[in-house]
Amino acid sequence: MKQNAVFARTWYEDTAIAPPDFGQVALDDCAWDVGIIGGGLAGLTALLKLSQAGARVVLLEARSIAAGASGRNGGFCTGGWAADDAQILRLLGGKGAAAMEEIAEGGLLWMKERMHRTGWESTAATPGVLRVSLSGHGAPGDLDAQALAAFVKAPRYRHGAVSYEGVHFHPLNFMRLLAREALEAGGQIIEQAHVRGAFRTSRGWHIETSRGVCRAQQVIWAGGGYGEGDAPMLTSRILPIRTYIGVTEPLGEMVLRHIPTECAIGDTRRAGNYYRRLPDGRLLWGMGITAFGTLSIPKVKAMVLRDIAAILPGLADEMRSAGRGIDYGWAGNMAYAPHFLPLVGEIRPGFHALTGFGGHGMNTAPAAALSLVSQMQGNLGDPTPFSQIPRPPVFGILGRIAAEGSYRWRILQDFRAEKVSQSHQGQ
């Protein structure tokens, strides 16, 4: 277990503010309006909004708040969804795609408004996300390779675009502050409450947990890629996909020479690299996707060094000469549907889904939660675009095989595209 990257301690945990005091909640003595399963960003946002509206709500988390992807991700918050614009347009049409864009933008603004509040300074919100490509010619107005050198010394990058609408931040601190806000609004949180099953009765829903039975009129299943709760109607439609992050030792001026920008940086490959400088002079580096098993902590650290050398060879050489390595290596599970769009809405009477954000949840999870709560409260006259999103099955192990195969196919496509671009550049 100590070598399993899924349970590895993160840089965020070692630099986090203290969690709020959740107090003592007796599940068996209460009847709740809503029980929320999963203490990530989606679940906490729903808890906050329902509690602010006066509902009696409890959130059940199997481990600790933000122990999953919401508290151990790369710390990027940008617009859009995990699915690209063309995919959304194909599935939902022009009207649905426009509604999804508006919802995603609302989620980004909701996050940024909190990050900039007094008392939320520990989120360390920094504007700017640079999206770069290793192939192709880019769109009009994109930065070319020469202009990119002012941001990052990465010889393989061909073009890119920077947006200061996106931000990067400390996600675990954000989550702990959000949990505090939800508690102050009257919500209740119970950690170490592993959900064993949810069953409908004549008086609502019974949620069986390791801490007792929760009786609620409605349920929101906001689990991610960790299989929270026994909800086969959802787990049959969601795949747990794993990604990996490492953090270097403090690099001082060394990292500034090779990454002079304060922007976070990510490339356009489906499973490419994403990285950013941290306030203490370290470099956070994200990479890779696997659908099976997990990598050990030493393997993650070795992958980080390999990837840095492939993208930032000058920095890798300086790190090697100075004897600087990788201090942290961890993994996080993400919940994916085959089309990269979330499952949001009522699945059965009184049972609502809020999951499947596909590694792009820092704006979309709160956006979807706000939409779902409004729908539950009857504040939306028309169906949301989420009701139009297909809910195909993932076929268990076959789905994982397909996901792994798709990932590897995309790696080959990206490699070929880069080689083609290099050959054109040399002509």
Side-chain angles (χ1 to χ4, degrees), residues 12-43:
Y12 296 127
E13 291 174 277
D14 283 344
T15 58
I17 60 174
D21 181 3
F22 300 121
Q24 297 294 321
V25 182
L27 271 181
D28 296 330
D29 296 337
C30 302
W32 306 89
D33 295 321
V34 183
I36 300 173
I37 300 170
L41 182 53

Side-chain angles (χ1 to χ4, degrees), residues 103-179:
I103 291 170
E105 181 65 21
L108 174 60
L109 294 175
W110 189 89
M111 291 287 290
K112 289 167 63 175
E113 187 275 328
R114 275 168 171 72
M115 292 177 197
H116 295 126
R117 287 180 177 180
T118 300
W120 290 59
E121 292 84 1
S122 63
T123 61
T126 305
V129 175
L130 174 65
R131 190 65 61 185
V132 295
S133 180
L134 286 73
S135 63
H137 300 287
D142 276 5
L143 302 169
D144 61 15
Q146 184 176 358
L148 282 175
F151 293 83
V152 59
K153 312 301 182 184
R156 289 171 61 187
Y157 293 157
R158 293 181 56 82
H159 60 88
V162 62
S163 168
Y164 291 98
E165 294 300 312
V167 297
H168 54 101
F169 68 113
H170 193 301
L172 183 56
N173 281 349
F174 183 96
M175 292 295 292
R176 290 181 172 178
L177 289 166
L178 183 60

